[in-house]
Every structure is written in C-alpha cells, then in structure tokens.
Amino acid sequence: MDILEEIAIGVEKGDSNSVHALTEKALTQNISVGEILNNGLVAGMDVIGEKFKNNEVFIPEVLISAKAMKAGMELIKPLLAKANVESKGKVVIGTVKGDLHDIGKRIVAMLLEGAGFEVTDLGVDVSKEKFLEFVEKERADILGMSALLTTTMTYMKEVIEAVENANLKQDVRVIIGGAPITHSYAEEIKADGYAPDAASAIDLVKDLLKK
Ligand code: B1M
C-alpha cells in the first residue's frame, strides 16, 4: 500500500496521530501537496461522505474523520498557496443571526473542506453584514446559511436581499439548510439551492459550480 492510501485509510478510521505522522512523512518524500490533499486526505473523507450518505456511518464517525483530516490539513495548508493547487471553489458558511445551533453546519463545512473546497466558517449568530463582508473579502463562490429555529430561518431572506442589494447575486450562489428548511422555502426566498443533509450539500455545491 502506498503512503497516500495509508493517509486515506487513516482519515477513514479517524486516526489523527497516524494521519499527522504519515502526512509529515509524505512531505519528506517530496510527494506534492496536491497529491497528498487529493489522493490522501480528500480521498479518505470522500469515502466517509459516501458512507454517511448511505447511513453506513453516523455523525460521530464523520466528526472523528474530519478531525483526522484536519491533522493532515494543518501541515499542508501553509504549502498549498505556494504550490498553486487549484481550489474547487470558495465557500463562506455560517448559522444565521439569533441561532446558536452549529453541529449540522459544522458537518457540512467539514465535508465541503474534505471534498476540496476552501471553507470559511463564520460560526453561529452571523449577521447579514458579516456574511456580506466575508463574501466580498473571500470572493466566495458559495454562501451557505444554516438555521435550526423557525424564528431564525426568516433571517435567511434578509441576507439574500442584502446580497441582491449589494449587487453580488451574480457572483455568489446562495444555499441554505437546517432542520426546518424545505425546498419550497428555498424557492420562496430565492436561494439558489437547498440541501436536506450534509452529503447532499456537497453534491449541490459541486452541481452549482459546474462550469
Ligand atoms: Co435546540 N432546538 N434550542 N439546542 N436543538 C432544536 C432545533 C428543536 C427542534 C428542539 C425541539 O424543541 N424539539 C427546537 C426548535 C423548535 C423550532 O424552532 N421549531 C430547539 C429550541 C427551541 C432551542 C432553544 C430555543 C431552547 C431554549 O433555550 N428554550 C435554544 C435556542 C438557542 C439559540 O439558538 N438561540 C436551543 C439551544 C440548543 C443547544 C444550545 C442546547 C443545542 C445546540 C448546540 C450546538 O449546536 N452547539 C441544541 C440542540 C443540540 C438541539 C437539537 C436537540 C439537535 C440539533 C442538532 O444538532 N441536530 C434540536 C432537536 C433536533 O433536531 N432533534 C434542537 C443534529 C444535526 C447534525 O442536524 O442541525 O439538522 P441538523 O443538520 C443537518 C441538516 O439539517 C443539514 O445537514 C446536517 C447534517 O446532515 N444542514 C444543512 C444543516 N445546516 C445546513 C446547511 C446547508 C445544508 C444542509 O447548507 C448551507
């Protein structure tokens, strides 16, 4: 088995120590950061994403694998920019103002990162001003919003209106999710997409960014 396969299996198993050590070893063997990222870390996370979609693994396993992936990511992140590894796209994501639920949003963010997207996670209780600031600053391709409360989901509409008023609607696709969100609500507030779970969110983002 080559070292990249070993990294992928380490991510799948959620073994942070081995992923960290193997990534370090791969770098000393002059394996490119792009290969480590795509054929090691992301490959392992892809397997977990697929298993999560098929209900073969559950939230705790996803979180443990994401942690293992991060153990490798922290070593290669500083080298990625220099290596000119092409990002699959930039995503700014957060839970909307007034809402402190972040477990589902974190899973979405981690799977997106695992799939090779550059993710800026703004956390919880995010105002429209902050969403806009980071969409502009990061030149985001995707703005993702999460809400778990029926009282906070309405804020998504305000954010989309703010995006329109700032003339950014052409530049960024807005996707939404969270337990109370439905496809028809997404249509009603003119979001570009809705995903019922984290695995579908990855497919949705890939689909929206198809050139
Ligand atoms: Co709260 N809470 N909570 N809570 N909480 C709910 C949501 C609730 C349904 C419980 C209930 O009454 N049965 C209810 C909402 C009722 C409603 O509005 N209809 C509720 C309430 C009322 C409250 C408080 C108001 C309680 C109070 O204080 N009186 C309060 C509000 C605080 C606030 O936000 N201002 C509150 C607080 C909390 C805790 C802080 C204690 C904690 C959150 C901890 C945290 O997130 N760090 C909490 C929790 C844990 C829950 C439940 C039990 C679980 C939520 C969760 O994490 N689910 C929840 C009841 C439930 O859902 N069974 C509940 C697991 C997670 C993986 O699923 O977030 O749905 P979910 O994410 C999924 C998909 O929705 C999707 O992908 C994820 C993974 O597949 N998805 C996206 C999510 N975001 C996405 C974004 C996308 C795409 C897909 O694109 C961008």
Side-chain angles (χ1 to χ4, degrees), residues 3-198:
I3 191 162
L4 296 177
E5 277 176 70
E6 285 186 68
I7 292 175
I9 288 170
V11 171
E12 242 188 282
K13 287 187 176 158
D15 186 345
S16 297
N17 289 340
S18 101
V19 171
H20 190 273
L22 287 163
T23 304
E24 220 162 29
K25 192 170 160 195
L27 287 169
T28 62
Q29 290 178 359
N30 286 331
I31 299 176
S32 76
V33 281
E35 275 184 281
I36 298 173
L37 178 69
N38 293 321
N39 304 333
L41 300 168
V42 171
M45 212 52 210
D46 269 351
V47 176
I48 285 294
E50 219 29 56
K51 285 188 174 171
F52 182 60
K53 196 163 150 183
N54 298 328
N55 293 323
E56 289 166 35
V57 299
F58 300 96
I59 293 161
E61 287 96 329
V62 176
L63 294 177
I64 292 166
S65 283
K67 196 170 165 220
M69 181 194 73
K70 287 205 164 178
M73 279 299 284
E74 71 192 24
L75 290 172
I76 65 165
K77 230 175 189 169
L79 307 169
L80 277 172
K82 284 188 215 149
N84 264 338
V85 174
E86 204 184 321
S87 145
K88 291 203 177 138
K90 287 190 170 183
V91 181
V92 165
I93 193 166
T95 301
V96 297
K97 192 170 163 184
D99 201 323
L100 303 176
H101 296 84
D102 78 340
I103 298 167
K105 182 262 306 163
R106 275 174 52 208
I107 295 172
V108 174
M110 287 189 277
L111 285 188
L112 279 169
E113 206 164 56
F117 294 92
E118 278 180 74
V119 180
T120 305
D121 186 346
L122 301 179
V124 296
D125 192 21
V126 182
S127 67
K128 57 189 172 191
E129 291 81 10
K130 190 164 178 187
F131 275 123
L132 276 189
E133 180 193 335
F134 278 84
V135 162
E136 284 189 305
K137 189 164 133 191
E138 298 294 329
R139 294 171 165 267
D141 302 296
I142 298 283
L143 164 58
M145 286 185 276
S146 181
L148 264 284
L149 299 171
T150 46
T151 47
T152 57
M153 61 189 264
T154 49
Y155 191 73
M156 291 172 159
K157 185 169 188 260
E158 286 188 44
V159 178
I160 292 176
E161 281 166 2
V163 169
E164 279 169 357
N165 292 339
N167 284 325
L168 289 170
K169 196 77 173 71
Q170 298 305 314
D171 305 324
V172 67
R173 305 271 86 85
V174 181
I175 67 162
I176 62 174
I181 310 299
T182 59
H183 188 66
S184 65
Y185 181 67
E187 276 185 356
E188 185 191 319
I189 65 168
K190 298 195 188 112
D192 297 296
Y194 152 73
D197 54 60

